[in-house]
Amino acid sequence: MKKRVLSVLAACALLLGLGMFAPATATAAPYCGITWGSLPESAAGMSSAQIKNLRSGRHTCFDRLVVDLKGDVSGYSVEYVNRVSALGSGFTVPLSGAADLEVLVYAPAHDADYRATYAPRNRSQAVNVDGYRTFRQVAFSGTFEGQTLIGLGVRARLPIRTFVLDGPGDGSRLVIDVAHRW
């Protein structure tokens, strides 16, 4: 009997090694059902909207950054980069975390008379993200030629999604979600 069990085990090992037999395995479901990737996301078009606030939120499966605008946002670009470079000067925007996400909104943070519509007290810590699972730092780099740059330092290069919501009122919101894990 012992010899027969050993023979069956040896045959299974041989078939497994040849790839002719594989044990049943369960395919892992995506984390929280998230199917996003980490490729750049963008929409074309300059906007007459003005940035009026940055805010963030913690969710079960992701951290969220919201850019509030007065008016409709038309264009944006969100992508992982080796380093975020300030508009105009090209100076590096230092960010905490292992990955840098560049958020470029095709709308200024000032009105037609160049009065600031958004001016955080501390540009390098524009939004407090202490205790977040994924976000490490939100830096407001500034506006140059009608475009506003925000640097988002994250824990790692993780899945992102970007979308625009209408409202409240005549405003709009650019939403950037970064998953807690793959």
Side-chain angles (χ1 to χ4, degrees):
M1 182 68 174
K2 191 176 187 181
K3 196 173 193 179
R4 183 173 180 181
V5 170
L6 289 175
S7 295
V8 169
L9 287 175
C12 285
L14 177 66
L15 291 173
L16 192 73
L18 294 174
M20 299 174 77
F21 170 78
T25 57
T27 303
Y31 171 69
C32 288
I34 290 174
T35 57
W36 328 323
S38 61
L39 295 176
E41 298 189 14
S42 64
M46 290 303 287
S47 177
S48 61
Q50 300 148 2
I51 294 176
K52 63 180 191 176
N53 195 26
L54 296 180
R55 55 195 170 92
S56 63
R58 291 184 278 189
H59 296 267
T60 303
C61 302
F62 56 87
D63 290 345
R64 172 171 285 175
L65 179 68
V66 178
V67 182
D68 291 315
L69 294 108
K70 180 180 179 184
D72 292 330
V73 64
S74 298
Y76 60 85
S77 171
V78 178
E79 68 178 305
Y80 283 104
V81 294
N82 291 332
R83 66 182 183 91
V84 173
S85 299
L87 299 172
S89 71
F91 293 132
T92 298
V93 177
L95 294 169
S96 300
D100 294 351
L101 201 55
E102 180 180 86
V103 178
L104 186 60
V105 186
Y106 304 141
H110 60 72
D111 63 17
D113 295 321
Y114 295 95
R115 290 182 300 242
T117 56
Y118 175 71
R121 268 184 244 162
N122 182 350
R123 292 167 63 112
S124 67
Q125 298 290 331
V127 178
N128 182 1
V129 292
D130 289 341
Y132 281 56
R133 284 188 60 190
T134 299
F135 289 175
R136 296 296 180 256
Q137 181 183 357
V138 179
F140 177 75
S141 178
T143 296
F144 183 75
E145 295 183 350
Q147 301 177 63
T148 300
L149 180 66
I150 301 154
L152 181 56
V154 295
R155 179 175 51 80
R157 186 179 175 130
L158 295 161
I160 59 171
R161 74 173 169 184
T162 306
F163 56 95
V164 174
L165 295 173
D166 286 331
D170 65 348
S172 61
R173 295 162 283 165
L174 175 63
V175 179
I176 300 103
D177 293 336
V178 182
H180 292 159
R181 65 182 182 89
W182 281 98

